[in-house]
Amino acid sequence: MFEYRLWLAAVPEPLPEAEARIYWNLKDLPTPTLDGALKQADYAYVGSWQDRHLAEMPQSGRCPAVRIFDWLFYRGTIDCYQAPILDAQLRDELIGLYQTRPDDLPAESTDADEIATFLTAHLGWSLLPEEAPPPTTAPSPGDHGSLADEQDG
């Protein structure tokens, strides 16, 4: 079974729509603004999931990290391609989606308070889901699951 990992990348500047379209469509085209922004972004580890967490019926067999990814994908592709701007409403939606549910399958998840703290600290920033921070990214102090933690642990 393949395991997916989700990190949130908080980027201080908006992303050009053309590069957002490339990002969300997983195209292998140049995105110089996005590439530079992701190297400078702040990251927070959200959690992981496996194929068994993905289901035909919405919300069935899910976990917090899948819900966060799905909602950011929806917000980033509906109406126009964008990196969603983290405002209080999106923060509250993401915190609500991150709460565990009785029908969730077991999955690795970061503490919900840590996610809420990260989101609140980055209000006004663009938010993107990433599989991992770039290898050259220096973790921000206090980021859960930072590269330094992985190297130490």
Side-chain angles (χ1 to χ4, degrees), residues 80-91:
C80 68
Y81 287 92
Q82 62 178 322
I85 302 295
L86 182 58
D87 59 14
Q89 178 181 344
L90 179 56
R91 177 201 59 203

Side-chain angles (χ1 to χ4, degrees), residues 48-132:
S48 66
W49 69 89
Q50 297 172 343
D51 292 334
R52 66 188 175 115
H53 291 96
L54 306 175
E56 294 294 322
M57 296 177 57
Q59 302 303 319
S60 173
R62 298 287 182 130
C63 67
V66 171
R67 288 191 292 272
I68 295 290
F69 176 83
D70 286 351
W71 191 244
L72 286 176
F73 181 84
Y74 172 78
R75 293 285 301 264
T77 59
I78 299 302
D79 294 332
C80 68
Y81 287 92
Q82 62 178 322
I85 302 295
L86 182 58
D87 59 14
Q89 178 181 344
L90 179 56
R91 177 201 59 203
D92 294 347
E93 291 168 350
L94 294 173
I95 290 170
L97 291 167
Y98 200 71
Q99 301 305 311
T100 57
R101 298 179 182 175
D103 62 346
D104 281 349
L105 293 173
E108 179 183 75
S109 296
T110 297
D111 180 73
D113 290 338
E114 290 184 42
I115 297 299
T117 298
F118 178 84
L119 294 172
T120 299
H122 293 90
L123 289 172
W125 292 42
S126 296
L127 199 61
L128 291 169
E130 283 289 300
E131 292 179 18

